[in-house]
Amino acid sequence: METKELKEMLFNKKKNGYSVITDEVKTAAFDFSEGYKNYLNNSKTERKAVKTSIELAKKAGFKEFDPKKSYNAGEKLYINNRSKAAAFIVVGEEDIELGATVTAAHIDSPRLDLKPNPLYEDIELGLLKTHYYGGIRKYQWTAVPLAIHGVFAKKDGSVIDVTIGEDENDPIFVVNDLLPHLASEQSKRPLSQGIRGEELNVLIGSMPFKDDSESELVKLNLLNILFEKYGVTEADFLSAELECVPAYKAKDLGLDRSMIGSYGHDDRVCAYPALMAITELEIPKKTAICVLADKEETGSDGNTGLNSDFLYHIMDDLCRAKGKSTTLALRNSVCLSADVNAATDPTFKDVMEPRNASYLNYGVVITKYTGSGGKGGTSDASAEYVGKVRSMLDKNEIVWQIGELGKVDAGGGGTVAKYVANLGLDVVDLGVPVLSMHAPFETVSKLDVYMAYLTMSAFHKEF
Ligand code: MN
Ligand code: MN
């Protein structure tokens, strides 16, 4: 055999997705990204993502799941977990004890949450105290236009929805930073301290209430505006969940429009493909489940996160109605933990180990293990399961790559994979490579997003 042929046969060569895909696939990828951008703009918080996702599912014929009912093959169901997490189910032909195909993505993203007592006035400006949510680089969140989303839960039981800053005519908000002229002391701080947690204060007003005899008139004026618009008082902030997120919309990025820039790709960039894949299913062999979880960015704790029994309960409800074993169903199920990985950035290549890093346009990334240090805090997917996933990807001509989250000991991270694995399922992380992950403006490639969709689709149909 010629050297060249032997190399072709034995070497594992990575290829840029654009050198492999047809024009039809490229067009399909660009078309898919239009729906995705729309989803991003309507899903800036976990609550908005649940609402948008359920609306899309209902249009595809999904009905609210009733745990007391037994369902037949082809029936499409959704579960709304406290308006902050959701699951979508298409009942399969096979006995549930033979297992389900599960995709799990998360719909919460790093952001600035308001504290319980947020509103204050200082030198006649009105501000909100925040507590950041998830892993952010704090300096990135200043001088960025912000919108506020969330709810006030009032004592009378009513829940008031709040969205300010998304409509073209809405006002927006901002965390201010020091001017360079006066930043000589601040500039000496290490980057992680450039802006401190207690400096992430959001400016929301400056006009005093018309009365010169009292103090805190700017705060009074702001509370009056909130009272007139939402019927809330300062005490109602105590039982509210209000989140500051970037106010801008998702946009095509690059002269060639090959990428999408947006807030919140992590992890809507996997949630949307997973949702699209399940909503388009007819009658799968195995029951298909798509979980869109909350709280991943803070460690998956809480009853809307996947370190709860949320997924267990879904499976238990499905099994009980049929008189089947939940344990067997879980043990025989397979899962794609659909989450992003860090794409290699040409400016910061040195945090990556190039042979095991992921790249933009090289397709969906399989991450066999996450964690930190000596694989601490991860569920390392089995060779056997990764082998099956690899085989499915190649059979369907899906562009894919394998990637680690950076160099050994460079840092680390985790996903929901280990919580799913704890229930006994086979699970591997698979998702889209992202640049500037966790920044207020993240970048992904359209080709990679589309490959994630093709993956989830093939997974439910073939596994
Ligand atoms: Mn994520
Ligand atoms: Mn994340």
Side-chain angles (χ1 to χ4, degrees):
M1 202 180 270
E2 291 288 324
T3 313
K4 214 176 157 191
E5 277 176 273
L6 196 62
K7 262 188 161 175
E8 193 64 35
M9 186 176 87
L10 295 179
F11 280 19
N12 177 29
K13 262 202 243 141
K14 286 187 238 175
K15 278 189 188 137
N16 186 304
Y18 281 104
S19 71
V20 183
I21 61 167
T22 60
D23 283 348
E24 288 73 45
V25 173
K26 191 203 133 185
T27 306
F30 275 55
D31 286 349
F32 188 79
S33 76
E34 294 305 308
Y36 174 47
K37 282 184 284 177
N38 209 24
Y39 182 82
L40 281 167
N41 295 338
N42 290 303
S43 308
K44 291 228 180 146
T45 63
E46 69 286 12
R47 285 177 188 270
K48 292 276 160 63
V50 164
K51 199 164 165 268
T52 307
S53 303
I54 289 178
E55 274 167 21
L56 286 169
K58 275 182 170 173
K59 276 187 198 152
F62 282 61
K63 304 236 160 23
E64 186 152 24
F65 179 69
D66 177 353
K68 295 222 162 89
K69 267 196 188 162
S70 167
Y71 292 98
N72 300 317
E75 287 198 87
K76 300 177 170 201
L77 310 155
Y78 73 86
I79 296 168
N80 181 343
N81 182 355
R82 296 169 172 84
S83 305
K84 291 161 69 166
F88 304 86
I89 302 163
V90 181
V91 180
E93 280 171 344
E94 263 181 24
D95 184 342
I96 187 84
E97 282 183 0
L98 296 173
T101 54
V102 181
T103 55
H106 67 92
I107 46 175
D108 59 319
S109 296
R111 59 179 192 251
L112 306 178
D113 284 351
L114 298 197
K115 292 191 184 194
N117 274 314
L119 184 60
Y120 68 103
E121 175 175 338
D122 198 355
I123 54 162
E124 291 165 89
L125 294 175
L127 297 121
L128 295 168
K129 293 299 293 178
T130 67
H131 195 135
Y132 65 98
Y133 173 97
I136 64 165
R137 309 192 74 194
K138 300 179 194 84
Y139 71 87
Q140 294 177 336
W141 289 73
T142 64
V144 167
L146 297 172
I148 297 179
H149 292 249
V151 294
F152 283 104
K154 290 170 61 173
K155 280 205 288 186
D156 64 7
S158 61
V159 177
I160 316 289
D161 263 299
V162 176
T163 310
I164 315 168
E166 292 297 339
D167 190 89
E168 272 308 302
N169 300 312
D170 277 359
I172 51 162
F173 314 98
V174 73
V175 174
N176 283 299
D177 197 358
L178 211 46
L179 63 169
H181 317 64
L182 296 178
S184 56
E185 276 309 308
Q186 187 200 32
S187 299
K188 289 178 195 157
R189 298 182 190 173
L191 190 56
S192 62
Q193 295 284 316
I195 290 290
R196 299 185 177 123
E198 293 293 354
E199 292 169 342
L200 290 168
N201 302 318
V202 181
L203 181 63
I204 64 156
S206 71
M207 191 163 62
F209 192 75
K210 256 195 209 153
D211 180 341
D212 49 21
S213 62
E214 288 283 334
S215 62
E216 295 191 286
L217 293 173
V218 173
K219 176 176 165 178
L220 179 64
N221 195 44
L222 288 165
L223 280 172
N224 194 41
I225 292 169
L226 289 171
F227 182 72
E228 283 177 354
K229 191 163 180 197
Y230 300 110
V232 295
T233 65
E234 189 176 15
D236 290 318
F237 277 105
L238 298 174
S239 52
E241 283 177 359
L242 296 162
E243 307 172 2
C244 302
V245 295
Y248 37 70
K249 306 239 179 296
K251 286 279 222 175
D252 282 352
L253 199 150
L255 283 173
D256 54 10
R257 295 180 173 267
S258 61
M259 298 166 281
I260 305 167
S262 175
Y263 164 69
H265 281 310
D266 177 10
D267 186 32
R268 291 163 192 107
V269 75
C270 297
Y272 180 72
L275 181 69
M276 287 302 100
I278 199 161
T279 52
E280 288 163 12
L281 283 180
E282 295 296 335
I283 305 179
K285 191 165 67 131
K286 289 188 185 305
T287 293
I289 302 173
C290 165
V291 183
L292 302 184
D294 178 29
K295 293 282 177 280
E296 193 278 340
E297 296 296 357
T298 52
S300 293
D301 295 314
N303 56 14
T304 52
L306 275 181
N307 192 13
S308 72
D309 285 340
F310 180 34
L311 179 57
Y312 177 88
H313 289 157
I314 294 170
M315 196 62 99
D316 196 45
D317 286 340
L318 287 169
C319 288
R320 194 181 52 245
K322 298 268 183 204
K324 299 288 177 181
S325 156
T326 309
T327 317
L328 281 179
L330 287 167
R331 198 181 296 154
N332 289 325
S333 290
V334 285
C335 175
L336 294 179
S337 160
D339 207 343
V340 299
N341 200 333
T344 305
D345 186 326
T347 312
F348 302 105
K349 276 188 289 213
D350 50 335
V351 298
M352 296 297 186
E353 189 272 280
R355 283 169 198 84
N356 290 284
S358 66
Y359 299 86
L360 233 56
N361 291 328
Y362 277 65
V364 74
V365 197
I366 294 183
T367 308
K368 191 172 176 293
Y369 47 85
T370 57
S372 58
K375 297 192 178 181
T378 183
S379 78
D380 197 339
S382 74
E384 290 86 344
Y385 183 51
V386 175
K388 283 183 196 165
V389 173
R390 182 164 82 100
S391 161
M392 173 197 82
L393 292 166
D394 285 344
K395 192 178 141 210
N396 288 279
E397 296 181 337
I398 293 167
V399 184
W400 68 277
Q401 56 187 323
I402 203 132
E404 273 194 319
L405 184 61
K407 275 182 179 164
V408 176
D409 290 341
T415 65
V416 302
K418 61 176 172 179
Y419 305 113
V420 176
N422 288 347
L423 295 174
L425 292 81
D426 267 322
V427 56
V428 68
D429 281 302
L430 182 147
V432 175
V434 180
L435 290 170
S436 298
M437 194 200 294
H438 285 204
F441 195 74
E442 303 173 313
T443 299
V444 298
S445 115
K446 291 181 179 177
L447 184 151
D448 300 335
V449 179
Y450 188 60
M451 291 302 146
Y453 160 71
L454 293 182
T455 304
M456 317 288 179
S457 203
F459 178 68
H460 288 308
K461 286 173 187 159
E462 297 180 16
F463 242 82

